Amino acid sequence: MPGRKREYDEDDVRVRPGRSSRPRTRTRPKHDDAIDALVITVDRGRYGCVREDDPDVEVITAMRARELGRKSVVVGDRVALVGDVSGDAGSLARIVRIGERTSVLRRTADDDDTTPEGRLERVVVANADQLVIVSALSDPPPRTGFIDRCLVAAYDAGIEPLLCLTKADLAGPEQVLDYYAELDLPHVLIRPGSDLADLRERLAGRISVLVGHSGVGKSTLVNRLVPDALRAVGAVSAVGKGRHTSTSAVALRLPLVGKARKDPGWIIDTPGIRSFGLAHVSAESLLHGFPDLVEGTLEDQPNCGHTAADAGCTLDAWVAEGKADRRRLESYRRLLSSRAGEPDARDQQADSGPSA
């Protein structure tokens, strides 16, 4: 009847169905068909990878699968790939697993762990076996303060260090080697046109990461070790669409030389860096970066900070007895002060030559 109020019953009620009738699950695909690969370059969310069983094939461009969450992928990581792994132009694979890392080389932006910038920890590379510290003997002069920092980072990461002294035609290595005499630090000397057989032997079968200041001859050394390095780097930089590759690390396969059939190894070239922040390294680990001083602390008080202000620190007596080089103690204490956010006025002067 017109004007009469309508009465509603249960037939008029519409129940909206849920978004999904399937129960939620965290079960992830196993990706049993994934292939193993090594990450050789990282650039803006794209990763250049090569198959470890055949590293000479085309570089595979990949992206991280969503299921990895916040896990970072860095140069040197061993990963599992699915999708288009042909390496053809325009192809894109997915990284679905990251292998357990055998080592992680880190550095912080600054030594001051009281600031956000100082706590910014950067993973340089993963799974490196050896840290090759490249330093010129002249032009620019060797900076033992920088070398000390690299040694601390290497020991903290469980990576073997190798000191590579370039431009040996311009100056002798005696001062630098004398400074590290107590460490039995392995080293190689490099001259223009010199035979690289000794260095190649030390690199064979390993993943070695090269670090050094700009101007020490690191790029020249890389091009001598890998004659087609420019072409190889250009190929992997296509991942970043033309970005200059000196701004990021890149892994390069060393070529076979002569009749040798031994694995020649990999080198990871890193950009020239000005400093190696150690805010991520504990004070105790910092001391173990100076193995020649460790024994001198065994009789110290438990709460001794080993700084110059700690009265009765046995390190002073240890050095006075000639059991360690005083320059090494001074370098260690400068790093302690720098790590605490208290730069030493002598640091700049000390980093200018072998007496650091």
Side-chain angles (χ1 to χ4, degrees), residues 83-278:
D84 191 341
V85 295
S86 64
D88 295 338
S91 63
L92 188 64
R94 286 188 300 129
I95 299 174
V96 293
R97 285 194 300 272
I98 305 172
E100 184 176 353
R101 293 168 174 171
T102 58
S103 68
V104 179
L105 180 65
R106 298 180 173 90
R107 74 182 182 98
T108 36
D110 200 340
D111 280 340
D112 186 2
D113 60 2
T114 63
T115 65
E117 293 78 11
R119 289 192 297 269
L120 182 59
E121 184 177 307
R122 293 187 175 94
V123 176
V124 181
V125 296
N127 299 317
D129 305 304
Q130 184 170 234
L131 178 63
V132 181
I133 307 166
V134 184
S135 176
L137 289 170
S138 179
D139 190 29
R143 299 182 178 181
T144 52
F146 175 78
I147 297 173
D148 286 344
R149 288 174 175 270
C150 292
L151 288 175
V152 169
Y155 293 137
D156 183 65
I159 301 173
E160 295 183 20
L162 172 65
L163 183 58
C164 182
L165 299 173
T166 62
K167 304 184 183 182
D169 58 316
L170 301 180
E174 293 77 18
Q175 282 187 293
V176 176
L177 297 183
D178 177 67
Y179 179 76
Y180 293 106
E182 298 298 324
L183 271 65
D184 194 25
L185 180 63
H187 72 279
V188 291
L189 297 178
I190 305 297
R191 298 177 177 84
S194 63
D195 187 3
L196 299 180
D198 185 17
L199 177 58
R200 290 186 185 277
E201 180 65 27
R202 294 175 184 272
L203 299 176
R206 296 183 172 190
I207 295 179
S208 303
V209 52
L210 278 63
V211 297
H213 284 293
S214 297
V216 298
K218 183 168 61 65
S219 296
T220 300
L221 180 62
V222 169
N223 287 323
R224 289 186 62 191
L225 288 169
V226 187
D228 60 348
L230 293 177
R231 182 175 61 83
V233 171
V236 299
S237 68
V239 174
K241 299 180 181 179
R243 185 178 183 183
H244 198 281
T245 50
S246 65
T247 61
S248 58
V250 59
L252 298 168
R253 176 77 168 177
L254 290 168
L256 289 169
V257 178
K259 298 181 180 180
R261 289 295 176 263
K262 184 178 180 181
D263 174 16
W266 290 82
I267 57 172
I268 300 179
D269 186 22
T270 61
I273 56 178
R274 291 180 298 175
S275 64
F276 216 106
L278 299 173

